[in-house]
Amino acid sequence: MDVGVSGISPKKLAKHVYNHYCTLFFQPDFDEVYRYVQQYLKSHSQKPQDTIERADRWGCYRLNTHSTEGQQLVLQFSDEKEETNQEDEKPPVDHSLPLFPDD
């Protein structure tokens, strides 16, 4: 979702996936990761209800926000804050046991 409506190319997405899985002890083959990302994008962008769709730019893909799965992946944040009345708020009651009971 960070790439927006313009989408991302499979090569850039493969670099992100490669960097995510690359560790000190394990380095996957980039060509293998790139082929997998290409295959995944092609197979998951064929139908209108798929999670991924082709973007307006040639060779770029983005999340399909019109699909039900794509909508679940998009978090919607609002700037509205719940207004509470300060007079109605009561301090929380402490029901914990004292650490050092009075003798």
Side-chain angles (χ1 to χ4, degrees):
M1 198 60 200
D2 289 341
V3 297
V5 295
S6 60
I8 189 170
S9 69
K11 190 167 191 168
K12 284 186 181 182
L13 186 58
K15 285 182 184 179
H16 286 285
V17 173
Y18 175 80
N19 288 334
H20 180 75
Y21 286 103
C22 195
T23 65
L24 182 63
F25 302 108
F26 176 70
Q27 291 185 345
D29 181 32
F30 179 76
D31 293 331
E32 184 178 328
V33 172
Y34 180 64
R35 282 191 302 272
Y36 177 79
V37 168
Q38 276 187 319
Q39 184 269 335
Y40 182 86
L41 291 173
K42 285 180 184 177
S43 65
H44 287 83
S45 64
Q46 298 296 321
K47 301 174 188 170
Q49 68 269 20
D50 283 340
T51 309
I52 299 169
E53 66 181 355
R54 292 176 192 244
D56 297 332
R57 293 185 337 180
W58 185 82
C60 292
Y61 295 86
R62 64 181 173 209
L63 280 178
N64 184 3
T65 56
H66 302 294
S67 72
T68 55
E69 292 176 357
Q71 288 176 351
Q72 291 177 0
L73 294 174
V74 177
L75 297 176
Q76 299 201 5
F77 296 99
S78 64
D79 292 336
E80 298 175 16
K81 293 184 179 178
E82 203 175 299
E83 292 183 20
T84 59
N85 193 352
Q86 295 292 337
E87 297 171 4
D88 293 342
E89 289 185 16
K90 297 178 183 177
V93 179
D94 185 20
H95 295 291
S96 62
L97 296 174
L99 186 58
F100 302 105
D102 295 332
D103 291 329

